[in-house]
Amino acid sequence: EAASIYGNEAKLLTSVFSTGDAFWGPRSGKSIEDWTSPVRKREQEILTEIEKFDRSAKAKIDKALAALT
């Protein structure tokens, strides 16, 4: 179950980096002026979603480990 969650997380991140609509690096050609409030909001939303994926996957792993003891 955790692997499936991480797979969904990977799909989200792949989409973000393939579209180039957030998390620009130095090679993006974008300037600091391009890092607008809507872009920052989008990045925050993505990070929030990633945190949810991670929290959910960790809960699944913790549950599986608890079942082993």
Side-chain angles (χ1 to χ4, degrees):
E1 291 178 50
S4 176
I5 293 167
Y6 284 128
N8 290 332
E9 181 176 331
K11 287 177 188 174
L12 171 62
L13 289 170
T14 298
S15 171
V16 168
F17 290 115
S18 68
T19 61
D21 66 344
F23 303 112
W24 303 317
R27 290 180 243 163
S28 70
K30 305 246 183 212
S31 71
I32 193 70
E33 289 79 24
D34 295 314
W35 196 44
T36 62
S37 182
V39 172
R40 290 190 300 276
K41 184 176 188 292
R42 170 85 171 118
E43 291 174 344
Q44 290 169 343
E45 290 168 350
I46 293 164
L47 291 173
T48 297
E49 191 66 22
I50 295 301
E51 181 183 21
K52 288 177 188 175
F53 282 132
D54 286 344
R55 194 176 308 121
S56 179
K58 181 183 182 309
K60 299 292 184 186
I61 292 168
D62 289 345
K63 183 178 177 182
L65 290 173
L68 294 174
T69 57

